[in-house]
Amino acid sequence: EQTGPADQGWRIVNLETIAPGSFFRTMGIRLLAGRDFLPTDSALAPRVMIVNQTMARTLWPGQDPIGQRIIFHDEDAPTTVIGLAQDSVYDSLTEGPVTFGYLPLAQEPVTALGLAVRSAGSPAALLPELTRAVAGVNPELATWPARTATTAIAGSLWAERMGALLLALLSALATLL
């Protein structure tokens, strides 16, 4: 998505739509300032968002992001920043700082949803039960195979592992020669 603070021009930012109340706790992301989304942040309420530290530094260097306003490319009304979240890993452990913003689900309807669950026990043991629970809500929902965070992280490092393996094989070949 593009945002357009009036004094800084257009920027590309990453956005995620989340439900109020539990996303940050589930994902282990701390809110550093401001507040989380509330059920009152509805479709009829003024538009709000939470930004991460990198987005705050990029768009408002040296300023408090709480209360800052953004106009998205396809909207007329501004969106107000109500919270500051710590930076996190979004796609890969090797990525650099990423500008990231969170929007409340009630204000930004989506056609695809993800489900994040934190468990005290074995996450892999919960996957079949979670899959059945989602199918119980609507058996016609298209779903991706459920996976644990460990599996997702391992998948994000595939290219690095293959590069290391290739380097090891070439090193062994060079030693033999």
Side-chain angles (χ1 to χ4, degrees):
E1 291 285 327
Q2 292 184 341
T3 63
D7 60 337
Q8 293 189 23
W10 292 92
R11 308 269 185 181
I12 303 291
V13 299
N14 299 286
L15 296 173
E16 186 71 43
T17 302
I18 64 173
S22 62
F23 176 82
F24 295 108
R25 184 174 58 252
T26 300
M27 299 305 290
I29 300 171
R30 288 184 338 200
L31 274 178
L32 303 173
R35 67 170 176 87
D36 199 346
F37 297 127
L38 301 170
T40 54
D41 294 320
S42 68
L44 301 176
R47 293 186 52 81
V48 294
M49 73 181 301
I50 296 169
V51 299
N52 73 351
Q53 294 167 288
T54 299
M55 187 168 170
R57 276 192 307 272
T58 300
L59 296 180
W60 308 286
Q63 299 177 50
D64 183 357
I66 307 301
Q68 299 288 349
R69 294 159 48 114
I70 292 176
I71 296 179
F72 289 95
H73 70 92
D74 59 348
E75 298 173 354
D76 296 326
T79 299
T80 302
V81 176
I82 59 162
L84 175 66
Q86 77 180 97
D87 283 344
S88 185
V89 174
Y90 302 98
D91 289 317
S92 169
L93 292 177
T94 60
E95 71 189 8
V98 175
T99 56
F100 210 89
Y102 304 90
L103 301 169
L105 181 60
Q107 292 183 355
E108 192 70 25
V110 294
T111 57
L113 291 173
L115 177 64
V117 177
R118 180 176 292 273
S119 75
S122 166
L126 280 178
L127 294 180
E129 184 61 32
L130 288 172
T131 302
R132 281 191 296 277
V134 169
V137 171
N138 183 346
E140 295 184 21
L141 285 176
T143 60
W144 291 96
R147 60 188 178 158
T148 64
T150 303
T151 302
I153 291 168
S156 78
L157 295 173
W158 182 85
E160 288 78 6
R161 287 185 180 175
M162 290 302 108
L165 178 62
L166 180 60
L167 183 61
L169 290 173
L170 291 174
S171 298
L173 181 62
T175 302
L176 287 174
L177 293 176

